[in-house]
Amino acid sequence: MDKNIGKKLDGRYEITELIGVGGMADVYKATDIIDNKEVAVKILKKEFAENEEFLRRFRNESKAIALLSHPNIVKVYDVGFSDKIQFIVMEYIDGITLKEYIENEKVLTWKDSVHFIIQILRALQHAHDRGIVHRDIKPQNIMLFTDGTIKVMDFGIAKFAREEGRTATDQAIGTVHYISPEQARGDVTDEKSDIYSVGVMLYEMLTGQKPFDTDNPVTVAVMHMQNTAERPRAINPDIPAGLEEIILRAMEKDAENRYQTASDMIRDIEAFKGNTQMTFGYYEEDVPEDEEEDATVFVPVSSDADETAAQPIAYDDDDEDDDDYYDDEDDDEEEEEPRSLFIPVMTAVTIAFVIVAVFFILWLVKGVLNGNIKKTKFEMPALVGMDYREAKEQYDWLDIQINDTDYSSYEKDVIYEQDVEVGDTVTNGHTVYVNVSLGVSMVEVPNVTNINYEYAIKMLEQKKFKYEKKYDLSTEGITANNVIRTEPAAGEMAESGSTVILYISKGLNTDDIVIDDMVGWTLDQATQTLEYYGLVVKKIDEASLEDEFTIIAQSITPGSVVKAGDEITLTYSNGEDPSGTVPFTISGLPSDAVGRFALDFIDSKGVTLANANFIPAYSSSVTVQVPGTGTSTVTVVLTNRDTFQQATIGVYNFDFANVTFRPVREDVQKAFELTGAFEEATTEATTAPPTEATTEPPTEGTTTPEPTEPPTQDTTEPPTQAPTTQPPTEAPTTQPPATEAPATQAATEAQEPAA
């Protein structure tokens, strides 16, 4: 097992696995336990740590790439140098190398090849502008994401090109298959050396093979210095001629004849993408008269004949026969025959062309004189938001040219600006200059951990980020109102203008939480407070006279102690009218109940909501319309109107908004018993004889009995005496009219309950 696996560098980077082995250093996958993210750690091999030359290179790498910040360059987070170990912490790339992709695809399409090469050139231009030359550009050092994004890595042998008086060592540094001629010779190298390597990679992508390839690295290096590669279109005829010219110019032996900057090469590639049929005129074909047609020499076109003559690029199936292209000493008479035929043929073609040209010019002149040639006028269309190539195809009557390219909010290759206003009058062939997007600009998320959130917001806004605040209890000891972490994490690249989530500390995490009385609070206020303490909030709406979103009930009693993670339910007003009338019905009334009765509906505040009178003997049920608002606990009271005795029939929960009620407890029969509904019938039976006896006192002419005396006399006199007594029949005849009324009234009152 690797002894570095399991180590924790600087107490922060915990190494988990070996993911790459290089010449100078090994690369490991590690976890940044502070930022909780995966990183790559490059550790210098022990055998080189004591070598001053290699140590200098390793430190130069960290010094160089620390200056670089570009979407197409692997980001460096940290460096560490000590007596025992030296390392660099970099962005972890979860992808494959371009070498693996090329080996899998064999030959790439020109569109894919150009897509990759432009990204590599942008990364190199960024480095070159800062005086840094990579010097080891190869597919193994190019990482490829699944979305086609390219990242250049391993500036392990980069040097500062602007450091005067320093040259490369006598040895050639870099991979020989992609090495530049001057690098192979051990000469001073600059950014044009990287351009040569890019040209070799583009050659390999489009042809499926390297320009020079043998088993001996020294031989390959010599071939880069002396030999000429086979023409790309001779290997793959599908390569466009303009793209072949770009490859040949990038791979010129003489650095002065190459593209001088990465931007120059990007400009030609972008022009080619706009018109794949174009050629640049960098080379002219020279077909030797004594050779076959496919033996062609490409000679750079230059105003200085002496310079270009020294740099011919020859292509043939056999490099050893290159000198035959210029050997005319052995030409015999048979070879002169085709030469003599060539001149007359070309003369005839020239004459024919001149004649056609003359007629064409005359036709144009005639058209102008007659006013027949007119330019059609159009309204300028909107090009912004269109893909550049699609715009050229759709509006082929316009000459759409690229003015500038830059990062923007638009996707790659999309036009984000045009120099002619939409709707302006233009003619066919009018030149319109547009700015084309290089894609969305990527910006590094700043580290705002443990910084007050207001200042953190300003830092994000300076980087053109938007923000969203979220609160959380801190387990890392971060005080309230300071930032705990961000999403995306600090140091990660994010789209300019995108939203970064700030997790703001609500304070240290505590166990016990005392619940407030939140009735009357707004829903947002209550929710934020509860979530602040880590409680889980459930919400239920109800109709209420309170304002909408006002808390009207809570499931946990105020003052209760809970813990983070506990659940609480908040009931809030939905703003709807809670009023309603509930039809309340009591059925199964006792038919043997005697007397008149009343029902009263009283709410929890003692307010009578409704009442009703009824006689059980006439109906077995009674329905009462009870009006109210919201929800309320209602007590239904039964009153015997004859005896004025009262009892509770039941307690009910009324929901007036939904016009429903639910009994909490109920006992109808017992309520009638408690109010004397059944005792009255018994009293009537036992008091009937004394009722007749109440007529006796008038016959004596003494006093009128009280209504309460008959029951008293009934309890002392035998019930058998009543039938034998006849005073009621005699009383009307013996008493004067004035004394009859009281007797009759008493008899009527005594009989009323029976009715």
Side-chain angles (χ1 to χ4, degrees):
M1 181 176 176
D2 193 303
K3 63 179 182 180
N4 286 323
I5 294 178
K7 282 186 177 180
K8 189 179 292 183
L9 304 180
D10 280 357
R12 176 173 183 174
Y13 307 108
E14 186 173 355
I15 298 175
T16 56
E17 62 177 299
L18 178 67
I19 58 176
V21 178
M24 293 169 52
D26 294 330
V27 183
Y28 296 86
K29 183 178 178 181
T31 300
D32 182 348
I33 60 177
I34 293 181
D35 289 341
N36 191 26
K37 65 181 179 181
E38 293 180 335
V39 295
V41 178
K42 179 180 286 189
I43 301 178
L44 186 65
K45 290 184 176 180
K46 184 177 181 180
E47 55 265 33
F48 299 118
E50 299 175 355
N51 184 305
E52 286 299 324
E53 174 63 17
F54 282 99
L55 197 56
R56 179 185 64 81
R57 291 183 189 172
F58 192 78
R59 287 178 174 171
N60 275 353
E61 173 181 6
S62 63
K63 181 181 178 183
I65 57 183
L67 299 175
L68 305 178
S69 178
H70 191 273
N72 297 122
I73 297 178
V74 174
K75 179 64 180 174
V76 172
Y77 298 133
D78 196 4
V79 293
F81 297 106
S82 66
D83 295 336
K84 296 182 179 180
I85 193 168
Q86 310 207 17
F87 64 89
I88 295 178
V89 182
M90 303 176 295
E91 175 185 3
Y92 174 70
I93 306 296
D94 186 12
I96 63 173
T97 64
L98 185 58
K99 175 180 175 61
E100 293 172 317
Y101 186 77
I102 293 174
E103 289 176 347
N104 182 61
E105 297 294 324
K106 307 303 181 188
V107 178
L108 277 60
T109 65
W110 73 260
K111 290 185 178 180
D112 286 346
S113 301
V114 164
H115 177 69
F116 297 150
I117 288 296
I118 285 181
Q119 293 183 72
I120 296 169
L121 288 170
R122 287 173 184 157
L124 290 175
Q125 186 62 56
H126 178 80
H128 294 167
D129 289 344
R130 287 151 182 78
I132 300 170
V133 181
H134 192 289
R135 300 178 74 236
D136 195 17
I137 289 295
K138 57 186 177 182
Q140 295 92 315
N141 282 338
I142 311 295
M143 295 301 297
L144 174 61
F145 289 89
T146 54
D147 63 356
T149 301
I150 286 290
K151 280 189 180 282
V152 181
M153 64 177 185
D154 196 5
F155 282 75
I157 54 178
K159 65 184 286 291
F160 285 81
R162 294 171 186 159
E163 292 183 10
E164 297 180 0
R166 293 193 177 187
T167 62
T169 60
D170 293 337
Q171 60 185 341
I173 301 174
T175 303
V176 292
H177 286 100
Y178 307 91
I179 197 171
S180 66
E182 61 271 23
Q183 197 173 1
R185 289 191 298 267
D187 293 342
V188 177
T189 57
D190 58 14
E191 56 266 25
K192 292 186 284 294
S193 180
D194 285 345
I195 292 174
Y196 182 92
S197 300
V198 171
V200 175
M201 284 201 304
L202 184 54
Y203 184 106
E204 182 182 7
M205 291 179 192
L206 293 170
T207 63
Q209 63 187 49
K210 301 176 182 66
F212 307 112
D213 193 12
T214 68
D215 294 334
N216 190 327
V218 176
T219 302
V220 174
V222 172
M223 293 173 72
H224 276 288
M225 290 186 289
Q226 299 178 356
N227 292 18
T228 53
E230 186 175 2
R231 179 181 173 186
R233 281 166 59 86
I235 302 172
N236 180 7
D238 294 333
I239 299 174
L243 194 54
E244 182 185 54
E245 286 190 81
I246 293 173
I247 297 172
L248 297 179
R249 189 170 180 84
M251 288 179 57
E252 282 282 3
K253 301 293 183 187
D254 188 344
E256 296 305 316
N257 290 334
R258 291 179 211 147
Y259 290 107
Q260 298 301 293
T261 65
S263 294
D264 292 342
M265 190 170 177
I266 292 174
R267 184 178 59 250
D268 275 5
I269 293 176
E270 291 289 358
F272 163 77
K273 287 168 60 180
N275 180 8
T276 58
Q277 304 302 317
M278 74 177 297
T279 56
F280 298 93
Y282 293 144
Y283 302 93
E284 59 183 11
E285 293 187 3
D286 184 11
V287 183
E289 298 173 359
D290 57 345
E291 295 292 343
E292 298 178 357
E293 293 182 357
D294 61 347
T296 304
V297 178
F298 264 31
V299 180
V301 176
S302 173
S303 59
D304 189 344
D306 293 337
E307 291 182 5
T308 57
Q311 295 294 331
I313 301 180
Y315 297 93
D316 195 281
D317 294 337
D318 188 354
D319 291 335
E320 295 178 0
D321 298 332
D322 289 347
D323 293 340
D324 293 342
Y325 295 152
Y326 307 99
D327 188 2
D328 297 330
E329 295 179 0
D330 297 332
D331 291 345
D332 52 28
E333 296 178 356
E334 294 180 0
E335 293 174 332
E336 293 181 358
E337 184 175 353
R339 188 179 303 121
S340 61
L341 290 175
F342 177 77
I343 294 175
V345 171
M346 291 303 297
T347 302
V349 171
T350 302
I351 294 172
F353 177 78
V354 171
I355 293 173
V356 172
V358 170
F359 276 105
F360 180 73
I361 292 172
L362 291 174
W363 178 81
L364 286 177
V365 172
K366 181 180 179 182
V368 172
L369 294 175
N370 294 334
N372 292 331
I373 297 180
K374 298 180 180 179
K375 287 190 175 181
T376 306
K377 294 183 178 181
F378 301 92
E379 283 191 1
M380 181 63 202
L383 304 180
V384 173
M386 294 187 65
D387 181 88
Y388 173 71
R389 289 183 295 274
E390 292 177 357
K392 287 185 71 70
E393 293 175 1
Q394 181 173 342
Y395 301 108
D396 55 359
W397 48 272
L398 285 173
D399 179 21
I400 303 176
Q401 298 294 330
I402 296 177
N403 174 61
D404 192 13
T405 58
D406 200 355
Y407 294 101
S408 73
S409 59
Y410 289 88
E411 295 182 1
K412 187 177 178 298
D413 297 330
V414 172
I415 298 171
Y416 67 88
E417 189 175 349
Q418 62 189 70
D419 70 337
V420 180
E421 293 292 333
V422 177
D424 285 359
T425 301
V426 294
T427 57
N428 57 323
H430 186 91
T431 300
V432 181
Y433 290 97
V434 297
N435 293 344
V436 179
S437 175
L438 297 176
V440 178
S441 177
M442 303 298 289
V443 183
E444 181 181 349
V445 178
N447 186 357
V448 295
T449 302
N450 210 9
I451 294 176
N452 183 275
Y453 78 93
E454 293 182 349
Y455 183 68
I457 289 173
K458 293 180 180 179
M459 293 176 65
L460 291 175
E461 290 177 339
Q462 288 176 354
K463 295 285 187 178
K464 308 299 183 185
F465 286 117
K466 299 176 184 176
Y467 66 90
E468 178 184 344
K469 294 186 296 183
K470 289 189 176 181
Y471 290 87
D472 198 359
L473 291 172
S474 173
T475 58
E476 295 86 357
I478 295 178
T479 58
N481 295 323
N482 281 11
V483 177
I484 302 173
R485 65 185 185 280
T486 61
E487 287 183 6
E492 292 185 3
M493 304 300 293
E495 293 182 2
S496 177
S498 61
T499 300
V500 175
I501 300 176
L502 288 173
Y503 287 89
I504 303 170
S505 173
K506 295 185 286 190
L508 303 181
N509 194 4
T510 57
D511 292 332
D512 295 336
I513 303 165
V514 179
I515 297 298
D516 292 328
D517 184 357
M518 290 170 287
V519 173
W521 292 18
T522 65
L523 180 63
D524 285 344
Q525 181 185 5
T527 301
Q528 289 180 8
T529 302
L530 295 171
E531 289 181 346
Y532 177 91
Y533 292 106
L535 295 175
V536 178
V537 180
K538 280 191 154 186
K539 306 166 188 176
I540 300 174
D541 67 289
E542 283 188 6
S544 171
L545 292 177
E546 298 291 339
D547 292 338
E548 189 176 7
F549 301 116
T550 299
I551 302 299
I552 56 178
Q554 61 190 73
S555 63
I556 299 180
T557 305
S560 300
V561 177
V562 297
K563 295 184 181 298
D566 287 352
E567 182 177 284
I568 182 172
T569 300
L570 298 177
T571 304
Y572 66 94
S573 170
N574 59 17
E576 296 178 2
D577 185 1
S579 302
T581 300
V582 178
F584 180 88
T585 300
I586 297 180
S587 58
L589 297 177
S591 58
D592 54 345
V594 178
R596 299 172 299 169
F597 296 88
L599 292 177
D600 291 293
F601 295 80
I602 305 171
D603 66 11
S604 57
K605 297 179 181 179
V607 177
T608 300
L609 304 177
N611 52 50
N613 298 317
F614 68 99
I615 300 175
Y618 294 163
S619 176
S620 62
S621 65
V622 60
T623 298
V624 182
Q625 301 295 328
V626 183
T629 300
T631 59
S632 180
T633 300
V634 177
T635 302
V636 180
V637 177
L638 177 69
T639 302
N640 189 329
R641 294 189 59 191
D642 296 325
T643 65
F644 298 101
Q645 292 178 283
Q646 292 183 330
T648 299
I649 283 184
V651 177
Y652 307 84
N653 286 332
F654 276 67
D655 184 348
F656 295 100
N658 295 310
V659 194
T660 60
F661 72 91
R662 178 177 58 83
V664 177
R665 64 177 184 274
E666 180 183 76
D667 195 334
V668 177
Q669 185 71 22
K670 186 175 181 180
F672 275 92
E673 291 177 359
L674 293 175
T675 57
F678 306 111
E679 292 178 358
E680 196 66 34
T682 305
T683 303
E684 179 186 0
T686 58
T687 60
T691 300
E692 296 178 356
T694 56
T695 59
E696 292 179 358
T699 60
E700 297 175 1
T702 58
T703 61
T704 303
E706 295 294 334
T708 56
E709 289 180 359
T712 305
Q713 294 175 2
D714 280 342
T715 57
T716 58
E717 293 183 12
T720 56
Q721 295 177 1
T724 59
T725 305
Q726 300 297 327
T729 58
E730 297 177 358
T733 59
T734 58
Q735 295 297 330
T739 60
E740 290 182 2
T744 305
Q745 181 180 359
T748 304
E749 290 179 356
Q751 294 176 4
E752 185 178 353

